[in-house]
Amino acid sequence: MGLRHILARLRAARARRDTDVMRLFRRRYPNLKGTVFVITYGRSGSTLLQALLNTPPGCHIGGETFDTLGALHDATARATRAHARWGTEPRHQNQPWHGAQNIDERALERDLALAYATHVINAPLDARWIGTKEIRYPQRVDVLPDLVEMILRAFPNPVIVFNSRNATDVAKSRWWAKRPEDEVHALIARMDAIFDEMAREHPDRCFHLRHEETTARPESLRPVFKAMGAEFDVATIARVLSNRLTH
């Protein structure tokens, strides 16, 4: 066995053991400083927020992905449930949950997060900050706190930005047109309460913004940029705010 082959096997073994999330991500994105995720609902002004978060050099905060990140959470939650319920002891090969004790849900979570960054975000390799925004979280309202905790565990130096908007304005949009207005108000209130709770629990990682305040007082964004260690360019932000969105 040649030296190059031995070294390759050692590197592969190290990769399997490596639990340092930032080090894993930097194998693809060597300049990476962290990850950013915008969590919200439809017509909250999230596309504008996405554009604002992309103003610092080296930022690549992508748009929606039809709730791909939520599907990752589904997979790890199911693996966790199987391990907890049926993996407490070895099970014979003629039993339906044979091998459940070998499930490593945290490793699965970590590997899926890296796959998401590699194949879904798929940012330029010199990116400093990468992430996405998604509006399809109302359908996951019951598991949203768990999903947030997954992001905080599985992604390097994560910054989570919750975005809210006045429920009356949200309900008037075509996105919500087929749902009763009182139902929309109740759902938005529940989502906003979760956003508040998560921001209180993780004040250094989670930030709850309101669209009305962002547009009226852009300085409200500064704590997010500070958490990212990113430049808060007032002129560039003002220019983004002055652009009319086309969607």
Side-chain angles (χ1 to χ4, degrees):
M1 183 182 296
L3 178 60
R4 291 179 61 185
H5 185 63
I6 293 173
L7 291 174
R9 291 186 63 179
L10 288 173
R11 284 194 296 269
R14 179 183 175 186
R16 287 192 296 271
R17 295 192 305 269
D18 202 341
T19 58
D20 186 318
V21 177
M22 181 63 84
R23 185 162 58 227
L24 288 170
F25 274 64
R26 279 182 174 165
R27 289 174 185 157
R28 178 173 178 85
Y29 301 110
N31 299 327
L32 190 67
K33 295 178 66 177
T35 50
V36 178
F37 295 95
V38 176
I39 293 179
T40 187
Y41 37 78
R43 297 302 182 263
S44 70
S46 61
T47 302
L48 174 61
L49 178 57
Q50 172 189 306
L52 292 166
L53 293 173
N54 273 307
T55 56
C59 285
H60 179 90
I61 314 304
E64 299 159 31
T65 65
F66 276 120
D67 192 31
T68 306
L69 194 57
L72 267 61
H73 173 262
D74 284 348
T76 58
R78 288 172 182 270
T80 300
R81 181 182 176 189
H83 191 194
R85 178 66 179 85
W86 299 106
T88 55
E89 59 185 24
R91 296 182 183 275
H92 193 268
Q93 62 185 7
N94 64 3
Q95 293 181 305
W97 295 93
H98 172 59
Q101 76 276 7
N102 298 325
I103 295 173
D104 187 342
E105 59 269 28
R106 288 293 176 261
L108 173 65
E109 186 177 80
R110 187 172 62 246
D111 290 349
L112 287 176
L114 181 58
Y116 182 83
T118 302
H119 303 296
V120 179
I121 300 176
N122 201 8
L125 298 183
D126 61 350
R128 299 178 188 174
W129 287 88
I130 63 173
T132 52
K133 71 107 167 176
E134 184 59 73
I135 64 174
R136 291 165 180 81
Y137 288 109
Q139 66 198 39
R140 297 188 177 277
V141 64
D142 292 332
V143 298
L144 186 55
D146 289 339
L147 194 153
V148 170
E149 296 293 346
M150 181 202 76
I151 293 173
L152 294 174
R153 284 192 305 267
F155 289 89
N157 194 19
V159 173
I160 297 177
V161 185
F162 302 108
N163 199 46
S164 293
R165 191 174 188 174
N166 179 276
T168 300
D169 294 332
V170 171
K172 290 177 180 176
S173 73
R174 287 178 295 175
W175 178 267
W176 298 97
K178 295 182 179 180
R179 302 184 69 164
E181 186 171 344
D182 59 342
E183 182 180 309
V184 175
H185 277 254
L187 180 57
I188 297 306
R190 187 178 178 193
M191 296 285 291
D192 288 351
I194 294 173
F195 294 169
D196 275 339
E197 179 183 357
M198 301 309 297
R200 286 195 302 270
E201 288 186 9
H202 304 282
D204 297 330
R205 296 287 184 190
C206 297
F207 301 86
H208 187 188
L209 303 181
R210 299 200 66 88
H211 174 73
E212 296 83 2
E213 187 173 11
T214 299
T215 54
R217 193 177 67 84
E219 284 288 325
S220 62
L221 284 167
R222 194 176 285 275
V224 177
F225 282 64
K226 183 179 179 181
M228 296 167 60
E231 179 182 2
F232 187 82
D233 189 318
V234 175
T236 302
I237 287 173
R239 186 164 59 251
V240 171
L241 287 169
S242 68
N243 291 335
R244 183 177 178 81
L245 297 178
T246 58
H247 74 293

